[in-house]
Amino acid sequence: MTQTPLLKVNDVSKFYGSRIGCRNVSFELWPGEVLAIVGESGSGKTTLLSCLSTRLMPSSGIVEYHMRDGQYRDLARMGEAERRFLMRTDWGFVHQNPADGLRMTVSAGANVGERLMAVGDRHYGNIRATAADWLRRVEIEEDRIDDQPRSFSGGMRQRLQIARNLVTSPRLVFMDEPTGGLDVSVQARLLDLVRGLVHDLGLSAIIVTHDLAVARLLSHRMMVMKDGLVIEQGLTDRVLDDPREPYTQLLVSSILQV
Amino acid sequence: MTDLATYNFAYLDEQTKRMIRRAILKAISIPGYQVPFASREMPMPYGWGTGGVQVTAAILGPKDVLKVIDQGADDTTNAVSIRAFFQKVANVAVTTKTREATIIQTRHRIPEETLTAGQTLVYQVPIPEPLRFLEPRETETRKMHALEEYGLMHVKLYEDIARNGHIATTYAYPVKVEGRYVMDPSPTPKFDNPKMHMSEALQLFGAGREKRIYAVPPHTDVVSLDFEDHPFEIQHFDKPCALCGAEHVYLDEVVLDDKGGRMFVCSDTDHCEDRREHGHAGEMLARQEAAE
């Protein structure tokens, strides 16, 4: 790991009128690190993720990103063009519902190739070869390259969405409940795949989930949120094995044991 | 023409014309950019060229010579009725000769004859937004134009090649204007795209239902989008025009009988007639003459 954090979050709050989305969140994310944000629904996980990924503007606080040129930039002060460029090159965003992140009416190959074309790739053969390579890496058979995602199963769509995001070799990927809505065996396969990719590519990732098993498998560090506040954070194994806060203890003890 | 008094010259009132001219000036100064304008109700249905008619009405002067074509032809319904409309409301001279016209309003074609400085080509545009079918949100497409995010346009071309093995878009083929805005050249066949490039004539586009005007000023770069390994190509025809024998022109297929008989003739009727007057004869014409 290098010496400087990739993302510096300082005292971020988001209010919806008088309602609290999330409050006074501060942390640093290091290159190659996977951070899980857990908590029950309504605890502000997704609001926080939206603030970090510039999909929402925080009401207060600063989110700084370590750009490829070595400078830290305040995301809120970045121009829209630059921010959108960052979002489709250096970042990825995996939605819970693949239909939100994919273009359902164009083929799988074009879905993966879109980011390449957006950054100026103009060679059909190369784009297609890269798309085929990425489909293979996310375990989608190559002969499905010309099929539309609407003919894909839920698990395949989610894997396609991941491929589409990773094709420009981003350094930071945001995932919002990536395994939500998938059945257990498909979940396991997807988690395995994501873990492998994160490891191989040295990605940093912020994963929002309510599933502690997902956090356990994927993340190095985790934050537990309740009512918009981060009530506990630390190494994943430490938090799950030795939870300090009563709420975290409750959360951990409420996992079904089969 | 005593009944002229009931209309203002060229149908539209002067304030409206002024508003449209302003939009046109803005469009000319930002080539390819879609300028919103307060499109008026015209005495014809949407889809019949209400945008083109408003642009023509705004730029028409008493000394102009107007030509109207529809799919290249001067004698089809749309062309005839719009020509009659301006004869009635503006009392301007009309012609079918491309060379003599100062303003040419067109639906779906650019005349074969090279346009010259001083001529204005007015296009009727049904859907001005080239990104529409890929990104239905207008707020988003405007942002994409503003930020020059045109990767999506290539996604469409990619899909074409993936499905058909070649770029199968044959009309409304997207172009990049002056290295900046991606523009829909209206549903002209892609055969006509190269004619837009560095044209000496002013090209104006009016979309009445969508309330947009855009323009390509003379001597402007107009480049059709493509891939390095699948370059832009125009249509090619196996046979010359059956009436005038012209090659390298855009041809229409005409079905002659129910036994599979067909002929290919110039879509630009003026060009075809002109050639025939100058003694050129295609296969069908020669056969007819031999029979007589």
Side-chain angles (χ1 to χ4, degrees):
Chain A
M1 281 191 194
T2 44
Q3 299 303 308
T4 47
L6 191 63
L7 195 70
K8 289 200 277 195
V9 181
N10 193 9
D11 214 18
V12 165
S13 302
K14 174 73 187 175
F15 299 99
Y16 298 106
S18 59
R19 270 175 230 283
I20 298 163
C22 61
R23 204 158 35 147
N24 306 105
V25 179
S26 301
F27 69 91
E28 285 175 348
L29 184 76
W30 297 76
E33 187 181 37
V34 180
L35 174 74
I37 305 174
V38 300
E40 60 191 12
S41 57
S43 61
K45 314 186 290 282
T46 302
T47 298
L48 178 61
L49 192 75
S50 301
C51 287
L52 300 179
S53 59
T54 73
R55 299 163 69 82
L56 276 179
M57 275 296 139
S59 308
S60 66
I62 295 173
V63 183
E64 282 179 305
Y65 181 68
H66 193 229
M67 306 289 284
R68 280 184 192 250
D69 62 7
Q71 301 291 313
Y72 279 99
R73 295 288 300 278
D74 181 352
L75 295 176
R77 284 163 184 263
M78 222 180 234
E80 188 170 21
E82 203 180 358
R83 199 160 62 221
R84 283 171 67 112
F85 183 75
L86 185 74
M87 284 175 86
R88 62 168 192 265
T89 53
D90 219 16
W91 288 4
F93 197 105
V94 177
H95 295 263
Q96 174 173 9
N97 178 4
D100 295 340
L102 292 172
R103 284 190 195 282
M104 298 304 277
T105 52
V106 303
S107 68
N111 261 297
V112 178
E114 182 179 343
R115 277 181 165 224
L116 295 173
M117 292 181 246
V119 294
D121 209 326
R122 293 289 178 264
H123 192 285
Y124 174 80
N126 293 351
I127 293 168
R128 196 173 167 83
T130 314
D133 181 47
W134 268 101
L135 290 184
R136 188 183 50 71
R137 289 174 81 164
V138 297
E139 299 166 18
I140 295 174
E141 276 158 46
E142 227 178 287
D143 59 2
R144 302 299 300 271
I145 190 167
D146 292 332
D147 292 350
Q148 293 186 0
R150 63 172 93 192
S151 70
F152 285 9
S153 70
M156 280 169 83
R157 287 181 191 183
Q158 198 55 288
R159 294 202 297 275
L160 179 63
Q161 196 192 176
I162 289 168
R164 172 181 158 92
N165 274 289
L166 296 186
V167 69
T168 48
S169 359
R171 292 191 298 158
L172 175 58
V173 179
F174 300 97
M175 297 190 190
D176 188 2
E177 306 274 12
T179 58
L182 300 178
D183 65 53
V184 185
S185 61
V186 176
Q187 261 191 33
R189 200 166 147 209
L190 187 78
L191 287 174
D192 204 37
L193 177 82
V194 171
R195 192 159 62 159
L197 287 171
V198 165
H199 182 262
D200 293 347
L201 303 168
L203 287 176
S204 299
I206 297 180
I207 299 172
V208 160
T209 180
H210 60 265
D211 187 342
L212 293 179
V214 171
R216 170 80 95 177
L217 272 170
L218 289 180
S219 67
H220 304 122
R221 213 149 53 92
M222 63 187 281
M223 300 198 311
V224 182
M225 291 189 74
K226 185 175 187 293
D227 301 330
L229 286 169
V230 174
I231 54 165
E232 183 165 1
Q233 57 175 312
L235 295 177
T236 303
D237 290 343
R238 205 281 294 154
V239 173
L240 290 179
D241 293 342
D242 179 21
R244 281 180 198 158
E245 293 292 320
Y247 175 74
T248 318
Q249 290 167 3
L250 186 75
L251 211 60
V252 171
S253 63
S254 58
I255 299 175
L256 284 177
Q257 301 292 334
V258 185
Chain B
M1 298 288 275
T2 45
D3 54 349
L4 249 185
T6 51
Y7 292 108
N8 191 29
F9 177 78
Y11 187 76
L12 294 173
D13 62 277
E14 293 305 315
Q15 284 303 316
T16 300
K17 285 195 223 167
R18 208 172 137 179
M19 173 271 295
I20 295 174
R21 284 173 197 148
R22 263 195 212 133
I24 292 173
L25 286 176
K26 185 168 180 183
I28 292 171
S29 48
I30 318 172
Y33 172 71
Q34 299 167 40
V35 183
F37 79 111
S39 176
R40 299 290 192 249
E41 291 276 330
M42 296 303 282
M44 58 181 71
Y46 287 128
W48 279 59
T50 52
V53 164
Q54 288 178 77
V55 171
T56 303
I59 61 171
L60 197 65
K63 287 181 189 159
D64 272 315
V65 182
L66 182 69
K67 170 181 162 82
V68 185
I69 51 174
D70 169 11
Q71 308 272 12
D74 294 278
D75 53 2
T76 47
T77 319
N78 197 246
V80 170
S81 50
I82 292 174
R83 191 162 56 228
F85 174 74
F86 280 114
Q87 272 179 302
K88 184 172 184 188
V89 299
N91 199 20
V92 288
V94 293
T95 181
T96 58
K97 300 257 178 267
T98 304
R99 205 169 308 139
E100 290 166 10
T102 55
I103 297 174
I104 304 169
Q105 181 171 334
T106 176
R107 174 174 176 266
H108 301 189
R109 268 320 300 282
I110 299 175
E112 301 292 353
E113 197 172 315
T114 311
L115 300 178
T116 53
Q119 288 187 306
T120 304
L121 190 58
V122 178
Y123 296 76
Q124 302 169 195
V125 182
I127 296 167
E129 180 50 72
L131 301 162
R132 173 71 48 88
F133 293 108
L134 298 148
E135 178 52 72
R137 290 169 294 179
E138 184 77 7
T139 47
E140 185 68 14
T141 54
R142 272 187 225 173
K143 199 166 272 180
M144 289 160 80
H145 281 295
L147 301 176
E148 224 182 325
E149 287 178 7
Y150 289 131
L152 200 53
M153 210 67 251
H154 275 86
V155 171
K156 179 183 180 332
L157 301 180
Y158 174 99
E159 279 294 279
D160 261 7
I161 303 173
R163 280 187 206 163
N164 307 297
H166 60 99
I167 298 179
T169 304
T170 51
Y171 66 96
Y173 192 101
V175 292
K176 194 162 209 179
V177 181
E178 204 63 9
R180 178 60 180 84
Y181 284 97
V182 165
M183 184 186 93
D184 182 344
S186 87
T188 52
K190 66 178 172 183
F191 183 89
D192 287 338
N193 277 15
K195 293 181 199 161
M196 306 177 79
H197 177 62
M198 288 293 163
S199 168
E200 285 186 21
L202 169 64
Q203 302 172 73
L204 301 175
F205 300 77
R209 174 170 38 203
E210 301 261 343
K211 303 177 171 54
R212 294 286 183 279
I213 285 174
Y214 51 103
V216 176
H219 308 288
T220 302
D221 256 331
V222 179
V223 181
S224 304
L225 300 180
D226 60 1
F227 284 105
E228 287 158 18
D229 48 346
H230 286 268
F232 173 76
E233 273 178 0
I234 60 170
Q235 291 101 329
H236 293 285
F237 298 91
D238 299 333
K239 282 180 170 180
C241 169
L243 293 179
C244 74
E247 291 181 49
H248 310 296
V249 294
Y250 194 74
L251 301 180
D252 283 341
E253 181 179 2
V254 179
V255 176
L256 298 174
D257 50 38
D258 58 1
K259 299 182 191 71
R262 62 191 58 194
M263 67 193 282
F264 285 91
V265 292
C266 286
S267 111
D268 186 339
T269 51
D270 169 57
H271 182 74
C272 197
E273 279 161 20
D274 194 50
R275 277 178 59 86
R276 272 178 279 158
E277 271 168 29
H278 285 83
H280 297 276
E283 192 184 305
M284 298 288 258
L285 206 62
R287 210 183 298 159
Q288 248 174 35
E289 275 162 10
E292 283 165 14

